[in-house]
Amino acid sequence: MATPDDGGYMMVRLVILAELVAIAAAFAMPESLQGWVLILLALATAALILAIFLSPSSLGLAKLIRPGLVVVLAAPALWMALQSVPMPIGKLGNPIWATASATLNEPLAEKITVDTTATMFSLVQYCAVLAAALTAAVIALDRHGAARLLHILLSIATIVAALWFGREITGVAGPDGSTVAVLGVLLSCATAIRAVDQILRRSRPGTIALGPLPALSVATIALIVCMAALLIRGNSTALVSALLGSEILISVFAVRRWFPGLWGTAGVLATATIVFIATASVIPFRTNTDLTIVLSTSSQAATERMLQDVAPAGSGAGASTVLLPIYQDAGVGDTPERPTAAATIVIDMGWAFLCAVVVAALLCASVLIRRALSRAYDYVFPALGAGALVAVTILAFSDHGILGLGASLLVAALFGLAFGQSLSDAGRDAISSKSKATSEQIADQAPAPRRTLTPTLVAIWPRVSLMVLGIVLIVEAAWMALPERYLGARSSLPAVLSTAAAGPSAMSKTTSLAAARKDLLIRGGSTFNRDSALAAGEQRTAPPMTSDEFARALRSSPLRGDIWLLLAATSKHSSPQPNTAAMLRMSYYTAPNDLDLLPLRVSVALAADIMVREPDLRELIKRDVSLVVRHRPALKPALVTAYRSASADGKIYFEGLISELDPTFLDQVHAQSSQRGSR
C-alpha cells in the first residue's frame, strides 16, 4: 500500500473518511433523500480517489479483484436491471402490467418487477454496498489501514448498539439494531484477539507489552455494550449467531497460537464443530412454515401468503415492501410486518437467487477460514469475515436487519476488510513480481505483442472497475438529487387524499402529488416511507394535478392503490370516464387494507350509479364500510360526507349497509345530513 513518504498515505485517510461519512450517514439519515445523495457521493469519491491517485504498486487488489469476481459481483445488479426492462415475451412479465394497461387504455410493456422505482432504489443500494466493500478491500491491503478500518467499524457498531440499547431501556420505538449489535460483538472479539496476539508476541518473559492494551480495553467495553444490547432485547437467535461467529474467531486463534500443524488444526476444528452444532440447536425453529422464516419470532402471516404467490424470477427488487400492504390484514398499519431478509430476497429475486447467495456465503466462509489458518500474522481479519458470514446468514432467516441501509454498508465494509487482508504479503506482491518477471522474459525473447499487454491489463482492471463504479454512483446521486432541486414541490399524500375527498374545488388546490419525479418521492417503497419522505409541513404551491400526471406515476408503479384512487377521483370530478370503475377496482385490489384510503374510496364509489350497480364493486364497498364501522369509528364522519355526495342509488345502497352494520349510526347519518341541508 502507500507509505508515509508519498501522497498515497493521505489518499488512504481520505478514503477511510469517506467510508466513515457514508456509513454514519446511513445510520443517521436512513430515510432521507439528502442522506442517500451524501452516501452515494462519499462512496463515489472514495472509489475515484483509489482509481486515480493510488500508485500502481498499491493496486495489489488485482490479485483479489479478478475479472471473474467482478462478473459475479455485477450479476445481482444486472439481474435487477433486467427485471426493470420490458420483456421480449409477454408471459415473462408480471400480470399486473397487462391489467394496468387495460385499465389505462394504453399499451404498457410487461416487466418482471411490479414497481420499477422500487427496483431502481434497490439497485442504487446494491451499488453503494459494492462500493463500500471494494474501497474497504483496497484500504485493507495495508495492515495499518486495515487496523484503522477495524477500529472505525468497531466504533460505529458500538455507538449504534449503545443508542439502540438506550432506546430499549427507555421504551422508545426505533429500528431493530440486533444485526449491528451482533456485528459489534464480532468486531470487538476480533479487536481483542488481535490485541492479545500482539501482547503475546511482543512481550518477553516477566514483562507486559503496553502498546495493545488500550485497544484491548476498548474492545472489552464494546463487547459489554453490544452483548448487553442483545441480552436486553431477548432475541435468542441474534445472541446465538453472535456466539457462533465468535466461536470461529476463537477457534482460529487457538489453532494459530497453541495447536499448529495438521493434527492440532483437526482437533480444534472437530471440537469447534461439536460446539457449533450444540449451540445451533438452541435456536428456536418454527415448524410447519416456509424455510425463509423458520427463525423469525414475529408474525409472518402476510409474508407466508406472499411466498406462496412468488414467481420463479421474483417480483422485482424492492417489491416486497410494495406487495406487503396488499397481503397484510387490515388494521395493522401501526405495527407493520417485517419479512425476514431471506424471505425478502425470495420475493424480490426468486428462490434460485437466495440459494446462490447462501451457497456463495458458505463457500466464502470456508475460503476465509482456510486463508486465516495459512497466515502467520493478521489472521484475525479473514477469521472475522468468516464469523460474520456465518452470523449474517443465520440472521437472514431471523429478521430483516441486514437489508437496512446502514447495516448493509457496515457488513460490506467488514467483508471488504476481511477479504483485503485474507491475502498474505507475498500474495499481495504477486502482481508486481509477476509483471517484473514477464517484462524481463520479454526482453530476452523475441517480441510478442499479445503478451506484452497482459500485465498492463491485469494492473488496470481494478482501476477501471473502481472508476466505472464511481461514475455509476455519481449518476445515481444525480438521478435522486435532480427531482429535489429542479422538480421542486412535494406534498403529503394523506393531505392530498383528504382534500380530494372534499370535492373538485379542493382537488384544484392540492399541491403537485407527482412533482418530485411523480413516482420517486411519493411512493411508500423499500426506501422511503410515506410520512417521513413527504413531511406535511413541506407543502408548496404547485399547479393542480391532472390525470396524465397520475397515469405517469402508474406507468412505473402499477401497484399504487392510492394513485389509482386519485386518478378515479380526478376523472369523477372532471368528466366521468368509462374506465373510472376499473380504476376504482384497481385501487381496491392493490390497496385493500389501507384504511387511510377508505373515506375517499367510499365517496368515489357511491358517487355514480353505474359503480353501485356492479356486483363486485358492491361487495368491495361493503367491505370498506364494514372496516370503518367496526375497526375505525373515528372515520365515521367521512362516511357521512360520502353519503351527502352519493348518487340516488348510492344513498339507497349505503343506507342498506348501515342498517345491517349499525342501525344507530344510520340515524346519525340522516340527522347530520338534514342539518347540513338546512344550512
Side-chain angles (χ1 to χ4, degrees), residues 328-336 632:
Q328 70 183 7
D329 297 326
V332 296
D334 296 335
T335 56
R632 282 291 182 92

Side-chain angles (χ1 to χ4, degrees), residues 190-478:
T191 305
I193 290 174
R194 185 171 182 271
V196 170
D197 187 64
Q198 290 177 344
I199 292 174
L200 294 177
R201 284 192 287 106
R202 293 181 182 180
S203 61
R204 298 178 181 178
T207 63
I208 298 179
L210 298 178
L213 286 181
L216 180 60
S217 302
V218 172
T220 303
I221 296 173
L223 179 61
I224 294 173
V225 171
C226 295
M227 286 298 294
L230 291 176
L231 291 173
I232 195 173
R233 185 60 181 264
N235 189 337
S236 58
T237 303
L239 184 61
V240 170
S241 65
L243 294 177
L244 293 178
S246 302
E247 180 189 342
I248 294 178
L249 277 164
I250 296 173
S251 300
V252 173
F253 173 71
V255 169
R256 299 305 306 154
R257 290 300 309 173
W258 298 303
F259 302 99
L262 179 61
W263 290 107
T265 302
V268 172
L269 293 181
T271 304
T273 302
I274 295 174
V275 175
F276 190 96
I277 296 174
T279 306
S281 63
V282 180
I283 300 177
F285 288 88
R286 300 174 60 178
T287 57
N288 300 324
T289 188
D290 192 89
L291 179 64
T292 58
I293 57 177
V294 291
L295 301 181
S296 176
T297 57
S298 60
S299 174
Q300 297 287 321
T303 302
E304 290 188 83
R305 291 191 284 268
M306 284 192 291
L307 289 169
Q308 293 174 357
D309 296 339
V310 67
S315 302
S320 57
T321 309
V322 181
L323 291 170
L324 183 60
I326 301 176
Y327 285 87
Q328 70 183 7
D329 297 326
V332 296
D334 296 335
T335 56
E337 183 177 312
R338 295 296 300 272
T340 64
T344 300
I345 293 174
V346 171
I347 296 168
D348 294 353
M349 311 291 281
W351 269 104
F353 190 89
L354 175 65
C355 294
V357 170
V358 173
V359 171
L362 297 179
L363 290 177
C364 291
S366 62
V367 169
L368 288 174
I369 292 176
R370 179 173 56 83
R371 290 181 178 180
L373 294 176
S374 65
R375 294 206 60 181
Y377 303 105
D378 295 324
Y379 54 83
V380 171
F381 296 102
L384 169 63
L389 277 169
V390 171
V392 165
T393 302
I394 296 173
L395 289 174
F397 293 85
S398 172
D399 57 40
H400 189 270
I402 63 172
L403 296 182
L405 180 58
S408 61
L409 291 179
L410 185 62
V411 169
L414 190 153
F415 289 158
L417 171 65
F419 278 97
Q421 269 292 307
S422 65
L423 298 176
S424 62
D425 293 337
R428 276 177 261 163
D429 295 335
I431 292 298
S432 299
S433 61
K434 181 178 178 181
S435 301
K436 181 178 180 181
T438 305
S439 300
E440 293 175 353
Q441 184 179 4
I442 292 174
D444 295 336
Q445 298 176 359
R450 289 183 298 176
R451 298 184 61 187
T452 55
L453 295 177
T454 301
T456 303
L457 292 177
V458 171
I460 289 178
W461 178 262
R463 288 184 180 274
V464 174
S465 301
L466 289 170
M467 188 170 296
V468 169
L469 185 57
I471 294 173
V472 169
L473 291 175
I474 292 176
V475 172
E476 291 173 342

Side-chain angles (χ1 to χ4, degrees), residues 513-564:
L513 177 66
R517 186 164 300 196
K518 278 79 177 177
D519 58 350
L520 177 62
L521 296 178
I522 59 176
R523 57 176 302 276
S526 59
T527 306
F528 302 105
N529 63 60
R530 195 163 54 197
D531 295 329
S532 62
L534 300 175
E538 296 182 276
Q539 300 181 21
R540 302 173 188 173
T541 303
M545 290 299 301
T546 64
S547 298
D548 291 339
E549 290 175 315
F550 289 128
R552 193 175 301 119
L554 292 171
R555 293 186 188 106
S556 63
S557 305
L559 287 180
R560 289 297 304 273
D562 45 8
I563 302 298
W564 284 113

